[in-house]
């Protein structure tokens, strides 16, 4: 089924951070955010992938849960330093961060799987969510994308956790996701995007 077009609004690719733009720390098969700036490294393919998307007119928005800040086990200053390093490597339009420690926190509407970060960015940047994409590596990302009305891409990292429902597309890394998005956009920004099940 074709997506309804709204050519007056922007299109975006929403990007999870850990596991999409930078390697997470894996402990017992589960991913965790890097704890220090020294641990924080951008995936080699991420700048190229993001540049390809930007060339096609997509805004790039990071949406990341950082609950360790809310729990007091990570400092906001370190997270902000990581994001400055990320901006040096990749031209981003916005970084949305949720520091809620759990789903009962006052700002839990922004904590993935809730779509609050995506909705806030969409309102601020005039983004048409029906013509946008979300790329993540965990079930919370895919649930968030579905809730926001985006086409979802799941990067398979073989974690010991299961998806709650399937994404629209499975990929192995961000560059594969970017190339697949571009293949769905054959006529530049005026194309009608066809969503595959």
């Amino acid at each position: 089924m074709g997506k309804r077009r709204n050519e007056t609004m922007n299109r975006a690719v929403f990007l999870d951070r850990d596991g999409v733009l930078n390697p997470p720390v894996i402990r017992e098969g589960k991913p965790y955010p890097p704890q220090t700036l020294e641990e924080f490294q951008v995936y080699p393919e991420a700048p190229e992938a993001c540049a390809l998307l930007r060339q096609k007119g997509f805004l790039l928005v990071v949406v990341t849960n950082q609950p360790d800040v809310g729990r007091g086990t990570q400092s906001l200053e370190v997270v902000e330093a990581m994001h400055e390093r990320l901006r040096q490597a990749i031209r981003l339009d916005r970084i949305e961060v949720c520091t809620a420690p759990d789903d009962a926190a006052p700002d839990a509407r922004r904590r993935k799987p809730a779509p609050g970060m995506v909705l806030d960015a969409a309102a601020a940047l005039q983004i048409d969510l029906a013509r946008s994409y979300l790329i993540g590596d965990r079930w919370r990302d895919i649930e968030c994308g579905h809730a926001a009305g985006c086409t979802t891409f799941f990067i398979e990292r073989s974690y010991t956790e299961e998806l709650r429902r399937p994404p629209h597309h499975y990929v192995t890394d961000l560059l594969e996701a970017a190339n697949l998005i571009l293949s769905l956009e054959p006529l530049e920004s005026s194309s009608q995007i066809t969503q595959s099940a």
Side-chain angles (χ1 to χ4, degrees):
M1 183 177 184
K3 288 188 175 183
R4 182 174 55 83
R5 288 183 289 173
N6 185 340
E7 302 298 343
T8 65
M9 297 182 72
N10 294 311
R11 299 173 304 157
V13 177
F14 295 93
L15 304 157
D16 176 47
R17 196 193 79 173
D18 306 309
V20 174
L21 294 171
N22 62 275
V25 176
I26 307 297
R27 295 196 295 269
E28 297 180 354
K30 291 187 177 181
Y32 296 88
Q35 285 296 298
T36 65
L37 186 59
E38 290 70 29
E39 286 182 313
F40 187 86
Q41 303 295 327
V42 176
Y43 279 122
E45 71 274 9
E48 178 186 357
C50 291
L52 288 172
L53 293 168
R54 179 170 288 285
Q55 288 169 11
K56 289 296 183 179
F58 286 101
L59 300 180
L60 300 177
V61 179
V62 175
V63 286
T64 179
N65 287 351
Q66 295 298 322
D68 288 346
V69 175
R71 295 168 185 149
T73 58
Q74 174 62 289
S75 75
L76 185 59
E77 290 74 19
V78 170
V79 171
E80 289 175 344
M82 292 175 181
H83 291 166
E84 181 56 34
R85 176 171 291 179
L86 196 56
R87 289 189 182 96
Q88 290 172 1
I90 299 169
R91 185 180 166 195
L92 299 167
D93 294 284
R94 195 175 184 90
I95 299 179
E96 296 279 350
V97 182
C98 179
T99 61
D102 53 50
D103 294 338
D107 57 343
R109 62 168 288 277
R110 287 174 48 85
R111 176 176 160 85
K112 294 179 290 185
M117 284 191 285
V118 172
L119 299 179
D120 289 350
L125 300 176
Q126 295 297 297
I127 294 168
D128 181 0
L129 293 174
R131 296 171 58 239
S132 297
Y133 302 86
L134 187 144
I135 304 171
D137 66 324
R138 304 191 69 180
W139 71 267
R140 286 179 177 271
D141 304 318
I142 302 308
E143 290 293 313
C144 174
H146 280 300
C150 299
T151 297
T152 55
F153 285 74
F154 179 69
I155 298 178
E156 177 57 71
R157 300 290 189 194
S158 300
Y159 304 142
T160 56
E161 65 178 25
E162 296 182 358
L163 291 170
R164 304 293 175 89
R165 60 173 143 173
H168 295 92
H169 303 278
Y170 291 87
V171 292
T172 57
D173 61 23
L174 181 55
L175 185 57
E176 183 180 352
N179 284 321
L180 184 51
I181 288 172
L182 299 187
S183 77
L184 300 174
E185 301 275 322
L187 298 177
E188 302 288 337
S189 62
S190 64
S191 67
Q192 183 167 356
I193 307 167
T194 300
Q195 174 178 308
S196 63

